[in-house]
Amino acid sequence: MSARVVVVGSANLDLVVTTPQLPKPGETVLGDDFRTVPGGKGANQAVAAARAGADCDFVGAVGADEFGTLLRDNLVAAGIDVRGLRTVDGPSGVALIAVDHAAENCIVVAPGANATLTALDDADRTAVAAADVLLLQLEVPPAAVGEAAGAARDAGTAVVLNAAPARPLPTELLDLVDVLVVNEHEAAVVAGVFTDEPAALLDTLVTLVPRVVLTLGARGAAYADRDGTRIDVPAPKVDAVDTTAAGDAFTGALAVALAERGGLTADTATAVLRWACAAGAACAQRPGASTALPERTAIEALCAATYGGAK
């Protein structure tokens, strides 16, 4: 039986411009190519999970505009159950993304319809209860994130929170999280410890949640839990083209691996992180957001080539 992942999160249309260098404040630079790509952290992670092999449900909101139609069609095309995707009056969410020739990016998000997702309905809660993993981010209102996490805890569904965009989190939400996934900036904001030492960030974060996965970009990822486990996994070495959705590919694939292995523990963490790192690296080799998210076969191939075996 396939792993079942429910994602409660955002769907945005990404407006992407490539440029030789990212502009400084007050600066205008000339760009190269422009494209529109379905995105949003929630939708990206849902597509990533589906392509990595999960049965996936998406709970979110889009506007009653052309962008909303494109976003819904993209999720359906990925095989995702969109019965939890609302269509509301007003514009869909958009993200303005600039990507430079070194594959670095800067992003501004206008939430649009995502801001209307303030509560779950009975069908959403039923889907969460039937899932192996609930995957959350912070691009929709906190009320919906907290309600979904509470429904998952009540049903025994594992809660994975990707705390992005970065913000301090209330204890009531942290108490419902099984696995926190953060990059170094997000980790510092959540922990309230501003340091560039991953070990110090992990030590603080495991006082707040039982398990933490710290993403380190091209350096890979690290895992820590309250039992004292500390694991570092290097990332595959690839020629990066666009890192926009690499973190979403990592998180979606991690949720699938966690579900398939029955949890994230000291025994499974190395394999789970290798699989997720392979997904993130495979994504970074292609331009775009949802268009770059890798299929399971590509993840398996890069995982095997890098670590000597598939997940």
Side-chain angles (χ1 to χ4, degrees), residues 17-173:
V17 176
T18 58
T19 177
Q21 63 185 33
L22 298 176
K24 300 179 180 65
E27 181 184 18
T28 298
V29 299
L30 290 177
D32 301 321
D33 299 327
F34 170 75
R35 61 190 184 277
T36 57
V37 184
K41 294 196 73 63
N44 284 348
Q45 290 178 16
V47 173
R51 290 183 180 170
D55 292 330
C56 189
D57 298 56
F58 183 71
V59 176
V62 294
D65 55 10
E66 182 181 357
F67 288 178
T69 300
L70 291 172
L71 293 169
R72 181 181 294 274
D73 289 348
N74 181 68
L75 292 166
V76 171
I80 295 167
D81 188 326
V82 295
R83 285 176 290 183
L85 181 60
R86 290 90 160 136
T87 298
V88 300
D89 291 335
S92 297
V94 297
L96 308 179
I97 303 174
V99 182
D100 70 14
H101 289 181
E104 293 298 329
N105 63 72
C106 60
I107 304 172
V108 178
V109 176
N114 296 302
T116 70
L117 186 68
T118 57
L120 274 61
D121 61 24
D122 288 343
D124 300 330
R125 286 186 284 272
T126 297
V128 168
D132 299 299
V133 173
L134 170 67
L135 183 51
L136 299 166
Q137 318 78 33
L138 300 175
E139 287 187 342
V140 296
V145 175
E147 183 180 352
R153 175 57 59 88
D154 290 343
T157 299
V159 177
V160 177
L161 172 64
N162 177 208
R167 68 185 68 172
L169 298 177
T171 301
E172 309 88 81
L173 177 58

Side-chain angles (χ1 to χ4, degrees), residues 196-283:
D196 58 2
E197 291 295 331
L201 291 171
L202 290 169
D203 287 344
T204 301
L205 289 171
V206 293
T207 67
L208 304 175
V209 295
R211 300 166 197 85
V212 179
V213 174
L214 179 64
T215 61
L216 301 168
R219 291 176 288 148
Y223 169 79
D225 63 29
R226 286 178 175 168
D227 294 328
T229 305
R230 299 291 186 273
I231 295 171
D232 295 303
V233 171
K237 297 187 182 302
V238 299
D239 293 325
V241 173
D242 183 353
T243 60
T244 301
D248 295 332
F250 177 101
T251 305
L254 182 140
V256 176
L258 186 157
E260 291 181 350
R261 289 180 173 270
L264 187 58
T265 67
D267 292 335
T268 66
T270 297
V272 169
L273 263 64
R274 285 177 173 177
W275 172 259
C277 283
C283 179

